[in-house]
Amino acid sequence: RNICIDFMVRNEYIILIKYIFECIPKMKKQETKCKRNYMKRRYLQNGREFMFKKVLAVTLAFGMIFSMGGSVMAAETEETVDTAEAAEPSESEDLVLGDYKPQKTEYNFYFTYKLVHAWWDAVGLGLEDAVQQYKDQGIDIKYEYVAPVAPDAIDQVNRLEEAAGRNFDVIGVDVNDIDIVTPTINNLIDQGHKIMTFSSSDATKEDGCERIAYVGNTHNYQDGYDLAEILAEKIGKKGQVAALGGTIGAPCHEDRIKGFEDCMAQYPDIEVVEIQYDNDSVEQALTYTEGFLQKYPDLKGIFCNNMSNPIGAAQAVVDAGKDGDITLVGMDHDLRALEYLRDGTISALGVQDCYKMGFDTIQVAIMIADGLEPGDDTYPEQTEEQTTIVYPEDAQAMIDKLYPDSK
């Protein structure tokens, strides 16, 4: 569905139709899986609801044309999910809104992020839960939460410029590339738009960016360093290691790679043989890891720096029969990665609180919309979110917490 929305926003209807033709058999197969109640709430009052209904109408129309029989989806507010490919995390719902009282009863926000991915789905759950809590207080928040199907900084610039012409109260962006996106942010700020950054990647004042505030991970460098330290300890502080670096230019990924490199530099007996950028793709991570294993038969460990590449790396290690011989560390809470962690293929994961990032983003966006500046009595310029290192012995408990329906 996210992919369909992306095509419609870009008016690429021919590609959309082709995509629907390819997806209809899969949608038919998955029809019975769309009954899960926790998925209903994700977009019920979302600002993307209108676009979703348009996509659904097109999909149902083509379904009727090709006489599939039966409905493609059970209801307009339900979403089909292939749990074998990517189960959705059930995040904590214990967070409550702060004491700040919004000055208006209606808000309209726009949030664009790096790519359609399960990591940002978890952020989206936090966004939506905050919106629902404000709705209970009589505050109506509409928002769009959109991204391309692959990381693209130029696409992100285009989205920001397009959103600027639509009179949103606040525009939020998870920065894809500081050098490319920062000039656009500053230009929109100069035009009077209210711009914030959120979730995984910031562009700071030190970077020359004039964004108002950031809600997300402010310690990506330290996350990379900490995971690299675990990797070094596991391999006895000697031997060959490689790294998967995610997306070139993405601040969070570059910071973690820098932390990895700085940590490895402390150990003269460790050799970093290669770093490859997998573009947040499990498939590319798998391919690069297969290459590492072929080129470096004495390889001892692989550092992974996002949610996708630990999965591809672990699969390649298992397929090569080197499970237990190669030490893997990585990031975040994908179910498959947590299962590899539980089974010992992965040694440690740095799990970010994506849900809280989304929840806090809505609260900060409201204060920005109301004209408040960052400060001790309002909100921080950078709202720091937590990363927790999870080890194999804690993996099943994390799976039970985040994916209760995976059993």
Side-chain angles (χ1 to χ4, degrees):
R1 189 195 63 180
N2 288 340
I3 296 171
C4 289
I5 291 172
D6 184 70
F7 288 143
M8 295 195 71
V9 168
R10 296 161 65 97
N11 292 320
E12 295 177 348
Y13 291 100
I14 295 177
I15 300 176
L16 170 61
I17 292 170
K18 180 181 178 182
Y19 179 75
I20 289 173
F21 288 164
E22 294 173 350
C23 286
I24 282 174
K26 296 180 181 179
M27 295 169 70
K28 180 70 174 177
K29 181 179 179 180
Q30 296 174 15
E31 181 179 357
T32 59
K33 296 181 180 179
C34 66
K35 302 291 187 180
R36 299 165 68 186
N37 290 332
Y38 75 90
M39 293 303 297
K40 294 180 183 179
R41 67 193 176 119
R42 288 183 57 200
Y43 299 110
L44 185 57
Q45 299 297 326
N46 194 316
R48 296 163 69 194
E49 184 181 46
F50 177 66
M51 290 296 295
F52 174 45
K53 288 180 179 178
K54 289 174 70 178
V55 171
L56 179 66
V58 174
T59 303
L60 289 174
F62 279 102
M64 292 174 63
I65 291 172
F66 286 90
S67 303
M68 289 174 55
S71 62
V72 176
M73 291 187 180
E76 289 183 338
T77 56
E78 293 179 337
E79 179 178 6
T80 57
V81 179
D82 188 344
T83 55
E85 293 183 359
E88 290 292 337
S90 174
E91 300 281 356
S92 168
E93 298 182 16
D94 295 336
L95 294 180
V96 295
L97 299 175
D99 295 332
Y100 178 74
K101 301 300 181 184
Q103 297 176 17
K104 302 190 299 182
T105 58
E106 294 183 356
Y107 294 88
N108 192 16
F109 301 141
Y110 180 91
F111 300 110
T112 184
Y113 50 103
K114 191 164 58 177
L115 79 161
V116 175
H117 193 283
W119 193 92
W120 281 276
D121 287 348
V123 175
L125 287 173
L127 292 171
E128 183 59 25
D129 281 354
V131 166
Q132 291 300 318
Q133 289 192 33
Y134 277 116
K135 183 179 180 182
D136 293 340
Q137 298 180 8
I139 310 298
D140 182 28
I141 300 173
K142 291 183 172 60
Y143 66 96
E144 295 185 26
Y145 185 56
V146 294
V149 297
D152 186 335
I154 300 301
D155 175 270
Q156 189 168 83
V157 165
N158 293 337
R159 289 172 185 271
L160 291 172
E161 292 175 343
E162 187 270 339
R166 297 172 56 200
N167 200 33
F168 290 100
D169 294 311
V170 174
I171 296 173
V173 55
D174 186 339
V175 178
N176 185 294
D177 186 299
I178 290 175
D179 293 336
I180 295 175
V181 178
T182 291
T184 298
I185 292 175
N186 290 346
N187 184 44
L188 296 182
I189 290 283
D190 290 343
Q191 294 175 25
H193 298 284
K194 296 176 179 179
I195 312 295
M196 68 179 294
T197 52
F198 76 105
S199 70
S200 74
S201 295
D202 187 17
T204 66
K205 304 294 185 183
E206 291 75 15
D207 297 319
C209 185
E210 298 302 319
R211 59 96 179 104
I212 297 172
Y214 170 66
V215 178
N217 189 332
T218 59
H219 44 77
N220 287 297
Y221 172 87
Q222 192 62 48
D223 289 348
Y225 195 101
D226 291 345
L227 286 169
E229 189 68 52
I230 294 169
L231 174 59
E233 293 287 341
K234 289 285 186 181
I235 65 174
K237 301 179 182 178
K238 60 182 179 180
Q240 294 180 334
V241 297
L244 294 169
T247 300
I248 294 175
C252 60
H253 294 173
E254 299 287 11
D255 286 349
R256 290 179 199 140
I257 285 294
K258 184 65 166 61
F260 160 76
E261 291 177 318
D262 287 353
C263 179
M264 294 296 102
Q266 305 302 309
Y267 301 105
D269 292 331
I270 292 180
E271 178 189 5
V272 179
V273 293
E274 191 170 342
I275 298 174
Q276 288 287 355
Y277 287 83
D278 53 89
N279 214 36
D280 284 86
S281 166
V282 172
E283 291 77 12
Q284 288 189 36
L286 173 64
T287 300
Y288 282 134
T289 303
E290 289 173 340
F292 294 159
L293 299 178
Q294 292 173 5
K295 287 188 284 185
Y296 311 108
D298 296 327
L299 191 71
K300 296 299 183 184
I302 301 173
F303 173 88
C304 304
N305 77 337
N306 62 28
M307 186 170 171
S308 298
N309 51 35
I311 304 163
Q315 184 62 57
V317 167
V318 171
D319 290 347
K322 293 193 173 184
D323 192 4
D325 297 329
I326 306 292
T327 298
L328 299 175
V329 296
M331 289 294 296
D332 286 315
H333 62 266
D334 187 281
L335 175 59
R336 294 161 293 180
L338 288 169
E339 290 173 339
Y340 281 126
L341 178 67
R342 177 196 61 199
D343 298 340
T345 304
I346 295 175
S347 295
L349 290 172
V351 178
Q352 302 174 87
D353 195 341
C354 304
Y355 171 88
K356 190 171 186 296
M357 290 181 192
F359 194 90
D360 291 344
T361 292
I362 290 292
Q363 297 186 87
V364 170
I366 282 181
M367 287 185 274
I368 292 174
D370 286 347
L372 299 182
E373 296 288 338
D376 293 338
D377 298 329
T378 53
Y379 58 91
E381 181 193 334
Q382 291 184 315
T383 301
E384 184 170 335
E385 306 292 355
Q386 183 179 5
T387 298
T388 302
I389 303 296
V390 182
Y391 296 94
E393 59 267 26
D394 302 316
Q396 188 60 54
M398 180 69 73
I399 292 171
D400 293 341
K401 176 184 177 183
L402 297 183
Y403 300 93
D405 294 340
S406 66
K407 298 178 181 179

